[in-house]
Amino acid sequence: MPTPNIKVVSYQVRQVIADDFGETFTEIETRYRVVDADTGEVLDDAQGYGYTSAQKAHRGFAYKQKHHPTGRKNANIKRRNQRIRAWLKTHIDIDWDQFSLTLAKDNPDLSPQAIRQLATTQLQLALAQLPADDQPNGT
């Protein structure tokens, strides 16, 4: 998935604060959030609190994209893998553990690496039957 075209936008937060004497004050702060410039989708807003500066918004968003496994790319990979697993469950009647055990029982001279290679080959043949948009691409 391509990197989104991001921009940082500001917005006003209005807070009503009551002091010890019962008087209330309205405080207005400017906060910042990261949005996708093309779609307007909010990508990061500091868990709803907003960033206190545009620089902090850029820095926080960059950090989250680099260091957190829940980023957009990983979410897309998770969704694709879930679709692959669902397709395999409905279209392939092979118990991979049983398949490996049967290979090992029928061919006691095969090494674990050879058994893994045979199972991998069978899985690749099964994955080749997937629809084009669900084909793994090595990521």
Side-chain angles (χ1 to χ4, degrees):
M1 178 171 196
T3 305
N5 182 15
I6 66 164
K7 68 179 181 179
V8 174
V9 295
S10 63
Y11 63 99
Q12 301 292 319
V13 176
R14 192 175 302 245
Q15 293 180 326
V16 177
I17 301 170
D19 66 4
D20 294 339
F21 304 107
E23 295 198 27
T24 59
F25 301 95
T26 301
E27 184 176 286
I28 299 174
E29 291 183 0
T30 301
R31 295 294 178 133
Y32 300 86
R33 62 173 63 122
V34 179
V35 298
D36 187 330
D38 300 328
T39 64
E41 173 190 7
V42 176
L43 301 175
D44 187 19
D45 64 350
Q47 298 180 344
Y49 292 100
Y51 289 97
T52 56
S53 73
Q55 180 184 13
K56 288 180 181 179
H58 279 291
R59 191 179 299 162
F61 181 72
Y63 177 83
K64 288 177 183 177
Q65 292 300 302
K66 183 177 179 182
H67 294 289
H68 290 285
T70 58
R72 287 176 153 239
K73 180 180 177 184
N74 289 337
N76 290 335
I77 291 171
K78 268 186 188 176
R79 274 195 299 275
R80 185 197 68 203
N81 289 344
Q82 286 172 346
R83 287 194 313 260
I84 289 172
R85 281 190 203 95
W87 188 91
L88 286 173
K89 277 185 178 180
T90 58
H91 290 84
I92 297 178
D93 298 328
I94 295 176
D95 180 0
W96 293 104
D97 292 332
Q98 185 63 38
F99 179 74
S100 298
L101 289 172
T102 303
L103 278 176
K105 184 182 85 168
D106 294 342
N107 304 298
D109 55 330
L110 285 179
S111 67
Q113 291 82 12
I115 292 171
R116 186 178 302 121
Q117 182 61 39
L118 284 170
T120 301
T121 303
Q122 291 299 317
L123 181 59
Q124 288 171 345
L125 291 172
L127 288 175
Q129 298 173 16
L130 285 173
D133 59 339
D134 287 338
Q135 288 287 330
N137 58 4
T139 56

